[in-house]
Amino acid sequence: MTKGRLEAFSDGVIAILITIMVLELKVPHGADLAALAPLLPVLLTYTLSFVYVGIYWNNHHHMLHTVTRVNGKILWANLHLLFWLSLIPFVTGWMGENHFAAVPVAAYGAVLLLSGLSYYILGRALIRHHGENSKIARALGRDFKGLISVVIYAVAIPLSFVSRWTSVALYFAVAVMWLLPDRRIERTLGE
Amino acid sequence: MTKGRLEAFSDGVIAILITIMVLELKVPHGADLAALAPLLPVLLTYTLSFVYVGIYWNNHHHMLHTVTRVNGKILWANLHLLFWLSLIPFVTGWMGENHFAAVPVAAYGAVLLLSGLSYYILGRALIRHHGENSKIARALGRDFKGLISVVIYAVAIPLSFVSRWTSVALYFAVAVMWLLPDRRIERTLGE
Amino acid sequence: MTKGRLEAFSDGVIAILITIMVLELKVPHGADLAALAPLLPVLLTYTLSFVYVGIYWNNHHHMLHTVTRVNGKILWANLHLLFWLSLIPFVTGWMGENHFAAVPVAAYGAVLLLSGLSYYILGRALIRHHGENSKIARALGRDFKGLISVVIYAVAIPLSFVSRWTSVALYFAVAVMWLLPDRRIERTLGE
Amino acid sequence: MTKGRLEAFSDGVIAILITIMVLELKVPHGADLAALAPLLPVLLTYTLSFVYVGIYWNNHHHMLHTVTRVNGKILWANLHLLFWLSLIPFVTGWMGENHFAAVPVAAYGAVLLLSGLSYYILGRALIRHHGENSKIARALGRDFKGLISVVIYAVAIPLSFVSRWTSVALYFAVAVMWLLPDRRIERTLGE
């Protein structure tokens, strides 16, 4: 089975997710700058989630680039990833509208954690299908960045009840870490 | 006529359907865990429908993979399937917001039944176009799983007025049955 | 310039249009069959518009299939068509929520008329680019069905102020006329 | 890395953006022509934004057509452009619902300005990747139209507090300027 439709479907879902989040930016009734003020936390979380979904699309693009075939298990591992990503607009809206209250901040981290785990599972399913010596296996390697992200989320979730801004700062830090291009895969491809 | 645009268009519609269902998960006003409690049935039906739409995408992917050509009748049989699938977000929202009341549970089953029938019709249209000895004819065979699903829906709909939780359990059971990979088509492809 | 991205973009827009119309089917608050009753006209207009958008996608598919190249004018003629199609969800909702009142019925016809005209303009732009002896020119021919549709819309719009149900019946009649497969193009392709 | 998925993802996001703007055209409760009157400014801004997003899609299509390869920086420059474009529906709704009040008109210009800048950055990233003698470098040239657009936006933003209709007229003027086909790229392609 070829990967073409898997990529097309994932592109479609991710494109919709990254776009419908902007619907939470409800048009305010006032027409002055003060009307925008309550939207600032919503805009901030929108930007953070836009970057996160962008990172997932980017990494998904890189990861699928190195594989050639998919099977039923991979299709479902991919849908599993898309399920958790699909909850990002919900927790984004919840966190933004409640000005980074503790529980929504923890919920945001939980969805990031589960997205990260499902991405990891997808990577393993791809490696199992292509073999331990495949391009994808070498490209993903031990997936240090993926593991460290999951650890940081796991720390940030309980931390949100102590210092929610530290948790939010950790989410931003992970996003910045991923914004740096993934040299591992680019190096493997260049071999 | 090639199948490329049919696949692309179906991917687009299914990607949107699977994603807009999450819009029914309205951001709650409260910022504590109690605010999430009333959303639990909505989240549960969202998950069930996500799996169902995922199953349809997966099976659609497999089915179209075995064919090469489409005609006008197939285009319309496909749009007919997409029509019933497009009502899934509506009945999902209705069932979730009413905490699995009898009529919405029956309506949910009715949309599943009509989706199942239209999928069956699409399969027959593909077989008629490619011949009884084609790959698609052998792959679909007598479509036992499709028929049994339709029978279960037909039982679950009236049953919802007697025991709505049994109907919901049947919907979950059918979903689990389909989650198991479709060996028939994979075997035929592997020949 | 190749036609690939034009097709992909049009598929995307049409897939979204056909899907967001279902958002007008607002989840009712009641949980009995009586709660569905006020939704019946909305469901009826949704079905009509689903068929119309399906027809446009189908014809667009057929029409683009016969061409090979596009230019800037064709891109804009295509966007012009998508603009009018994008207003179909709005007039669908307006007509459905007002139970086929005269002005919304006329507005619905006006959007169909302008969609039909912009489809005709797109066809002419394609013929001009490929020449009067091209496959697309022979396939579209004098576009009898397109012209008669536009004439019927032009009659139905003022008629809605006299007998709105006659106008609605005319819209259904045109839809049925188009549901019959377009033999002209299929014949030309088969030459 | 090939450009296929970058194009597909951008097509998806832009198709959704151009379509969800129509959701701001809320179905009015009345059923007469008077009910449409308050929607006129919303319809006008919708049309303007539809044309702008259409221009971006068109130019994106032309620009990507002249390149062959992409890298991580280009992926992010593209997501950066999509981020600013994703705010167009928000400022469109804000400007339309407030009947072109000064602050929303300035905000609309600001989003256009940032979209224009991010498009320019994407163009530079593409040129850097393909070399100063590449097709894309010659096609974009000094990007006179892009620069003049940004200058006009920069003038229109403060001007909205003096004469908001002049600013709106400037936005329309820039749109008309871009509607004229981009001879530079078509000429380069024809070489």
Side-chain angles (χ1 to χ4, degrees), chain C residues 1-2 5-6 8-9 12-13 16-17 20 24 72 75-76 79 82-83 86-87 90 93-94 97-98 101 103-104, chain D residues 7 11 15-16 19 22 25-32 36 39 46-47 50 54-55 57-58 60-62 179 186:
Chain C
M1 213 181 303
T2 53
R5 272 191 84 181
L6 177 70
F9 185 71
V13 170
I16 298 157
L17 288 175
I20 63 172
E24 273 302 313
L75 292 188
W76 279 107
L79 277 165
L82 294 177
F83 177 77
S86 82
L87 293 180
F90 172 73
W94 203 31
E97 289 199 7
N98 289 288
V103 177
Chain D
E7 288 185 332
D11 283 353
I16 297 157
T19 321
V22 88
L25 268 178
K26 304 256 166 62
V27 170
H29 288 298
D32 48 6
L36 284 187
L39 286 178
Y46 171 62
T47 307
F50 189 98
I55 288 166
W57 180 73
N58 241 341
H60 195 270
H61 186 139
H62 277 83
L179 278 179
E186 294 199 348

Side-chain angles (χ1 to χ4, degrees), chain D residues 63 65-69 74 123-141 184-185 188-189 191:
Chain D
M63 190 159 77
H65 192 74
T66 58
V67 305
T68 46
R69 293 165 288 116
I74 291 166
R124 292 304 117 178
L126 286 166
I127 291 176
R128 215 167 313 121
H129 194 51
H130 288 80
E132 292 295 335
N133 289 316
S134 60
K135 225 172 187 178
I136 174 79
R138 277 175 296 135
L140 283 179
R184 279 173 307 163
I185 285 181
T188 309
L189 287 176
E191 277 172 14

Side-chain angles (χ1 to χ4, degrees), chain C:
Chain C
M1 213 181 303
T2 53
K3 66 178 178 172
R5 272 191 84 181
L6 177 70
E7 289 185 330
F9 185 71
S10 306
D11 283 353
V13 170
I14 296 174
I16 298 157
L17 288 175
I18 213 169
T19 319
I20 63 172
M21 284 191 298
V22 88
L23 295 176
E24 273 302 313
L25 268 178
K26 303 255 166 64
V27 170
H29 288 298
D32 47 7
L33 272 179
L36 283 187
L39 285 178
L40 276 187
V42 182
L43 189 61
L44 190 69
T45 48
Y46 171 62
T47 308
L48 178 62
S49 294
F50 189 98
V51 171
Y52 261 113
V53 177
I55 288 166
Y56 271 105
W57 180 73
N58 240 341
N59 290 349
H60 195 270
H61 187 138
H62 278 84
M63 188 159 78
L64 266 292
H65 192 74
T66 59
V67 304
T68 46
R69 292 165 288 116
V70 296
N71 62 7
K73 260 174 208 150
I74 290 166
L75 292 188
W76 279 107
N78 192 60
L79 277 165
H80 181 233
L81 168 64
L82 294 177
F83 177 77
W84 292 114
L85 292 180
S86 82
L87 293 180
I88 287 182
F90 172 73
V91 288
T92 299
W94 203 31
M95 187 165 80
E97 289 199 7
N98 289 288
H99 298 198
F100 302 96
V103 177
V105 168
Y108 191 86
V111 168
L112 289 183
L113 177 65
L114 290 158
S115 301
L117 285 176
S118 57
Y119 186 81
Y120 180 84
I121 291 169
L122 175 59
R124 293 303 117 180
L126 286 166
I127 290 177
R128 214 168 313 120
H129 194 50
H130 288 81
E132 292 295 335
N133 290 316
S134 60
K135 223 172 187 179
I136 173 81
R138 278 176 295 136
L140 283 179
R142 287 169 53 208
D143 197 12
F144 181 69
K145 255 161 108 179
L147 286 175
I148 205 129
S149 304
V150 164
V151 169
I152 294 176
Y153 301 144
V155 169
I157 294 168
L159 197 62
S160 71
F161 297 96
V162 184
S163 162
R164 58 216 175 90
W165 291 110
T166 312
S167 298
V168 173
L170 286 173
Y171 301 153
F172 272 95
V174 172
V176 168
M177 181 181 82
W178 279 104
L179 278 180
L180 308 173
D182 201 325
R183 296 271 175 240
R184 280 173 306 163
I185 285 181
E186 294 199 348
R187 213 183 303 128
T188 309
L189 287 176
E191 278 173 13

Side-chain angles (χ1 to χ4, degrees), chain A:
Chain A
M1 211 181 302
T2 53
K3 65 179 180 173
R5 271 191 85 183
L6 177 71
E7 289 184 332
F9 185 72
S10 307
D11 283 353
V13 170
I14 297 174
I16 298 156
L17 288 175
I18 212 168
T19 321
I20 64 172
M21 284 191 298
V22 87
L23 295 175
E24 274 302 313
L25 267 178
K26 304 258 165 62
V27 170
H29 288 297
D32 48 6
L33 272 178
L36 285 186
L39 286 178
L40 277 187
V42 182
L43 189 62
L44 191 68
T45 49
Y46 171 62
T47 307
L48 178 62
S49 294
F50 189 98
V51 170
Y52 261 113
V53 178
I55 287 166
Y56 272 104
W57 179 73
N58 241 341
N59 290 349
H60 195 270
H61 186 139
H62 278 83
M63 189 159 76
L64 267 291
H65 192 74
T66 58
V67 304
T68 47
R69 293 164 288 116
V70 295
N71 62 7
K73 259 174 210 150
I74 290 165
L75 292 187
W76 279 107
N78 192 59
L79 277 164
H80 181 233
L81 168 64
L82 295 177
F83 177 79
W84 293 113
L85 292 181
S86 82
L87 293 180
I88 288 182
F90 171 74
V91 287
T92 300
W94 203 32
M95 186 165 80
E97 288 199 7
N98 289 289
H99 297 199
F100 302 96
V103 178
V105 167
Y108 191 86
V111 168
L112 289 183
L113 176 65
L114 290 159
S115 302
L117 285 176
S118 57
Y119 186 82
Y120 180 84
I121 292 169
L122 175 60
R124 292 303 117 178
L126 286 166
I127 289 176
R128 214 169 313 121
H129 194 50
H130 287 80
E132 291 295 336
N133 290 315
S134 61
K135 224 172 187 178
I136 173 81
R138 277 176 295 135
L140 283 179
R142 287 170 52 210
D143 198 11
F144 181 70
K145 256 161 109 179
L147 287 175
I148 206 128
S149 305
V150 165
V151 169
I152 294 177
Y153 301 145
V155 169
I157 294 169
L159 198 62
S160 71
F161 297 96
V162 184
S163 162
R164 57 213 175 92
W165 291 110
T166 311
S167 298
V168 173
L170 286 173
Y171 302 153
F172 273 94
V174 173
V176 168
M177 180 183 82
W178 279 104
L179 278 179
L180 308 173
D182 200 324
R183 297 271 174 238
R184 281 172 306 162
I185 286 180
E186 294 199 347
R187 215 182 303 125
T188 310
L189 287 175
E191 279 171 12

